[in-house]
């Protein structure tokens, strides 16, 4: 791998570490706030620093073609994943949601092959499938439980979120990683204002400091800063390849849950984590062909 690809992998890992706290903090927020208010409100809150950064850097407006791509980013990572995962966290433990979320890297790789025309080798797909199988195996062994309504919501979140990840990574090659999320947040603002204001007016009761801190994290880090590293990493290291680092997110989530929320972590967790790390390392060495450039 080139130094650029290695940098992309490192940035992707940083993004995954930031995202790994999203579900635990979302679960805290939805205990007091409506899932829609959390899912849409965090994006509206994040749009403020996004707009200020674009103005400060005097960034030019995206082209119409780029705007069409940004609508997929908005649908995936600003509307779809935050709202659906917040609804799921009303009934599912954060660790359970993290287990289901282990399917996301394979989903992103499939979208990368479709949208960015990346052509991963059979060895890559074997590593990706093995990593996903290890995550699912861990879910079964750890007793994640039977299929629930929250699981279906998480699967929907994964499907649309993966699309937003893959398209954002593709656009980041043209626009830059932080520009993609900033423009997506700013362009989504007209859609967000009405529902967020309505839901905020409908809310009754006090909001605890704990909830405000959790909401601040999912707004500034999960919805904003984390994407700086994530989209830049996808663009530099390749969408399909870097997406596989997200297989480790479940284990970061569990580790942080133990550190911050006192949850007990079984030794088998780290055994499966080691296996997933091996699949990611093997995947780094597999071939991924770039898209062919059409000639006249």
């Amino acid at each position: 791998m080139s130094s650029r690809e290695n940098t992309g992998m490192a940035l992707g890992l940083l993004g995954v570490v930031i995202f790994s706290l999203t579900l635990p903090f979302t679960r805290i927020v939805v205990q007091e706030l409506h899932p829609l208010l959390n899912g849409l409100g965090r994006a509206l809150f994040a749009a403020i620093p996004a707009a200020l950064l674009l103005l400060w850097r005097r960034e030019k407006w995206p082209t119409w073609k780029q705007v069409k791509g940004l609508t997929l980013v908005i649908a995936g990572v600003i509307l779809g994943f935050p709202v659906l995962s917040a609804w799921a966290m009303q009934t599912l433990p954060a660790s359970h949601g993290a287990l289901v979320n282990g399917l996301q890297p394979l989903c992103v790789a499939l979208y990368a092959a479709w949208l960015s025309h990346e052509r991963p080798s059979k060895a890559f797909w074997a590593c990706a499938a093995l990593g996903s199988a290890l995550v699912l195996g861990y879910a079964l062994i750890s007793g994640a439980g039977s299929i629930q309504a929250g699981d279906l919501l998480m699967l929907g979140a994964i499907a649309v979120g993966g699309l937003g990840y893959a398209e954002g990574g593709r656009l980041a090659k043209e626009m830059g990683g932080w520009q993609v999320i900033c423009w997506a947040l700013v362009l989504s603002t007209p859609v967000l204002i009405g529902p967020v204001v309505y839901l905020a007016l409908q809310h009754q009761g006090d909001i605890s400091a704990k909830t405000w801190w959790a909401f601040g994290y999912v707004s500034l880090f999960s919805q904003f800063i984390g994407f700086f590293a994530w989209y830049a990493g996808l663009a530099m290291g390749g969408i399909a390849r870097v997406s596989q680092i997200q297989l480790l997110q479940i284990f970061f989530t569990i580790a942080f849950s133990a550190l911050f929320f006192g949850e007990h972590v079984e030794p088998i967790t780290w055994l499966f984590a080691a296996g997933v790390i091996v699949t990611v390392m093997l995947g780094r060495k597999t071939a991924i062909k770039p898209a062919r450039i059409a000639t006249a």
Side-chain angles (χ1 to χ4, degrees), residues 49-60:
L52 292 175
L53 181 57
L54 289 171
L55 286 172
W56 177 58
R57 292 296 300 268
R58 297 182 180 179
E59 293 289 321
K60 63 179 182 180

Side-chain angles (χ1 to χ4, degrees), residues 91-152:
T91 57
L92 295 179
S95 58
H96 186 127
L99 293 173
V100 180
N101 201 45
L103 292 172
Q104 180 121 282
L106 185 59
C107 183
V108 175
L110 291 170
Y111 281 129
W114 171 41
L115 294 171
S116 299
H117 306 291
E118 293 184 4
R119 292 295 178 264
S121 63
K122 292 180 180 179
F124 171 86
W125 289 119
C127 290
L130 178 58
S132 298
L134 283 172
V135 169
L136 291 177
Y138 173 76
L140 293 173
I141 292 175
S142 63
S146 58
I147 295 296
Q148 307 172 37
D151 291 311
L152 297 178

Side-chain angles (χ1 to χ4, degrees), residues 91-284:
T91 57
L92 295 179
S95 58
H96 186 127
L99 293 173
V100 180
N101 201 45
L103 292 172
Q104 180 121 282
L106 185 59
C107 183
V108 175
L110 291 170
Y111 281 129
W114 171 41
L115 294 171
S116 299
H117 306 291
E118 293 184 4
R119 292 295 178 264
S121 63
K122 292 180 180 179
F124 171 86
W125 289 119
C127 290
L130 178 58
S132 298
L134 283 172
V135 169
L136 291 177
Y138 173 76
L140 293 173
I141 292 175
S142 63
S146 58
I147 295 296
Q148 307 172 37
D151 291 311
L152 297 178
L153 288 168
M154 278 302 303
L155 289 174
I158 290 166
V160 295
L163 177 61
Y165 281 167
E167 180 63 9
R170 187 190 68 81
L171 285 173
K173 297 176 183 179
E174 305 174 14
M175 305 172 63
W178 69 266
Q179 290 93 334
V180 170
I181 191 59
C182 284
W183 280 117
L185 288 166
V186 169
L187 293 176
S188 67
T189 299
V191 179
L192 299 173
I193 290 179
V196 170
V197 171
Y198 172 78
L199 290 167
L201 292 174
Q202 295 298 309
H203 177 78
Q204 297 180 353
D206 296 330
I207 301 175
S208 65
K210 181 180 180 181
T211 296
W212 278 120
W213 279 109
F215 182 77
Y217 186 92
V218 297
S219 299
L220 292 177
F221 289 90
S222 302
Q223 191 67 74
F224 186 52
I225 295 174
F227 280 101
F228 284 37
W230 182 243
Y231 278 151
L234 292 175
M236 295 177 70
I239 299 169
R241 193 189 306 279
V242 174
S243 69
Q244 299 311 294
I245 297 177
Q246 203 175 19
L247 286 166
L248 299 173
Q249 185 167 321
I250 171 181
F251 302 105
F252 282 119
T253 297
I254 293 172
F256 285 135
S257 295
L259 180 62
F260 297 124
F261 305 107
E263 294 186 9
H264 177 67
V265 181
E266 297 290 342
I268 194 173
T269 298
W270 308 120
L271 180 62
F272 272 88
V276 170
I277 290 172
V278 171
T279 66
V280 172
M281 296 300 292
L282 291 175
R284 292 178 67 227

